[in-house]
């Protein structure tokens, strides 16, 4: 079977690495030169809205998916007419727009931070009056890793935020003084069967994920699964979906969904019985879903900007290194390190050493 993937970044690369043992091969469509999935499949170099290239992709594969959610809606619609496309265009359209996402969460009874949309400076002032200060102004579309966001702490910041972000549709959210952030990675098959991984606690800095650690028995597991299940069912979703939440006491506030495999699920490669990448492929191919259970204590550290020497990382007990074949550059995700251990205490000990090394080498 041949899988077409819109996007050829590290998520595409890891999808292919998980698919090769299942006898799958991969064709990627991505305009970037030197894309990091290119060595593990065939890359069509073209813009996402190049209909001729989309036609060639569809002609070469059995099923199409994405590893990048900012694919133009028209391109997704074109692909869906020619090949099975999972997740479908409705899920993609919802996840591309923070306002549409929040409207869906609210319709499904999932709590969200106070929020309001704004298309002008006056509307932005009115929106901040509704959410209260401090607030976060975000572009409704195309944001990732904290890009397209400004924190607003006082009246003067509103104009600064408008100067930086204005001109495109915006959404304002109340600043949530969260206790922690968690994500629930769910997978839904073509037949509607759903599985959920243990929820992970995520640490971000400067809007970029640094560390994800799944829990064996997080008290918020059931609630997170219920919310994720509702959204997947409403979107008639097929594949892996990530749902990010803010935790306040025993409450979950919905932040956003990603209609794809997700950075906070990379620990599943070594810490779960079936990785998120394999389960995404199983789901879109209509195959039985794999066991999402935890194999043992584990954690993931992102390598941002630069990384310690490979030999130093491999010397850590229980370390599994995943490099993406990217050159070092400030703020760029160039790989991640999964740490697995037999006991929580052993994991905590290695994690402390590893995190110090990773932090010292990182840039951005
Ligand atoms: P996002 O791209 O919306 O996931 O935002 C990236 C990160 O910025 C989140 O994971 C949080 O750490 C932080 N953040 C975003 N929105 C808020 C908010 N409304 N309140 C507090 N922190 C936020």
């Amino acid at each position: 079977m041949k899988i077409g993937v819109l996007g050829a970044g590290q998520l595409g690369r890891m999808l292919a690495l998980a698919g090769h043992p299942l006898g799958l091969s991969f064709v990627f469509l991505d305009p970037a030169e030197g894309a990091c999935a290119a060595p593990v499949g065939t890359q069509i170099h073209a813009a996402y809205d190049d209909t001729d290239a989309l036609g060639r992709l569809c002609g070469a594969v059995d099923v199409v998916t994405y590893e990048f959610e900012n694919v133009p809606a028209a391109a997704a619609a074109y692909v869906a007419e020619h090949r099975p496309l999972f997740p479908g265009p409705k899920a993609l359209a919802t996840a591309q727009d923070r306002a549409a996402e929040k409207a869906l969460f609210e319709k499904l009874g999932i709590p969200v931070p106070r929020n309001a949309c704004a298309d002008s400076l006056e509307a932005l002032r009115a929106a901040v009056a509704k959410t209260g200060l401090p607030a976060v102004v975000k572009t409704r579309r195309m944001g990732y890793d904290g890009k397209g966001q400004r924190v607003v702490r006082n009246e003067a910041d509103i104009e600064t935020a408008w100067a930086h972000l204005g001109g495109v549709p915006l959404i304002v959210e109340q600043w949530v003084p969260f206790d922690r952030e968690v994500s629930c990675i769910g997978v839904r098959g073509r037949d509607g069967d759903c599985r959920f991984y243990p929820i992970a606690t995520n640490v971000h800095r400067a809007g970029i994920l640094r560390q994800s650690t799944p829990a064996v028995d997080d008290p918020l597991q059931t609630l997170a699964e219920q919310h994720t299940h509702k959204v997947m069912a409403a979107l008639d979703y097929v594949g892996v979906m990530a749902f990010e939440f803010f935790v306040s006491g025993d409450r979950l506030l919905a932040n956003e969904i990603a209609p794809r495999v997700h950075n906070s699920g990379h620990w599943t490669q070594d810490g779960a019985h079936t990785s998120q990448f394999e389960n995404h492929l199983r789901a879109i191919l209509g195959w039985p879903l794999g066991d999402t259970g935890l194999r043992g204590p584990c954690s993931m550290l992102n390598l941002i900007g630069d990384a310690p020497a490979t030999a130093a990382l491999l010397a850590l007990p229980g370390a599994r290194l995943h490099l993406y074949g990217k050159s070092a550059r400030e703020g760029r995700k160039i790989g991640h390190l999964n740490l697995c251990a037999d006991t929580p205490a052993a994991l905590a000990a290695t994690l402390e050493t590893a995190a110090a090394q990773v932090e010292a080498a990182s840039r951005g």
Side-chain angles (χ1 to χ4, degrees), residues 109-111 184 199 218-230 243 245 250-253:
I110 301 170
C184 182
I199 64 173
D218 196 299
L220 291 169
Q221 180 73 32
T222 306
L223 187 58
E225 284 187 15
Q226 284 168 350
H227 291 340
T228 309
H229 186 269
K230 273 190 194 168
F243 201 158
F245 300 96
D250 59 0
R251 268 168 51 94
L252 286 177
L253 280 182

Side-chain angles (χ1 to χ4, degrees), residues 98 138 149 173-176 178 181 204 246 255-256:
R98 291 182 188 274
K138 302 180 179 180
Q149 300 191 11
E173 294 171 15
Q174 73 173 113
W175 175 260
V176 180
F178 54 78
E181 292 183 84
H204 293 83
F246 302 119
N255 178 16
E256 62 175 350

Side-chain angles (χ1 to χ4, degrees), residues 310-324:
T310 296
L313 293 176
L314 295 180
L316 295 162
R320 301 272 189 283
L321 184 58
H322 300 265
L323 293 175
Y324 309 150

Side-chain angles (χ1 to χ4, degrees), residues 62-124:
D62 301 292
V63 54
V64 180
T65 188
Y66 357 68
E67 60 105 63
F68 165 73
E69 68 264 45
N70 291 319
V71 169
Y78 178 93
V79 171
E81 267 174 36
H82 295 85
R83 281 288 175 272
L85 173 70
F86 300 117
K90 187 175 162 195
L92 185 75
T94 306
Q96 281 180 343
D97 180 357
R98 291 182 188 274
E101 249 175 21
K102 287 204 166 55
L104 176 66
F105 302 155
E106 285 181 284
K107 189 174 132 202
L108 297 172
I110 301 170
V112 294
R114 280 193 306 278
N115 66 87
C117 291
D119 289 342
S120 66
L121 180 55
E122 292 67 43
L124 188 58

Side-chain angles (χ1 to χ4, degrees), residues 208-244:
I208 305 180
L209 181 69
R210 307 287 159 161
Q211 185 178 335
S212 282
T213 308
V216 193
D217 49 6
D218 196 299
L220 291 169
Q221 180 73 32
T222 306
L223 187 58
E225 284 187 15
Q226 284 168 350
H227 291 340
T228 309
H229 186 269
K230 273 190 194 168
V231 172
M232 291 200 303
L235 295 173
D236 199 14
Y237 198 87
V238 175
V240 161
M241 190 183 90
F243 201 158
E244 295 185 85

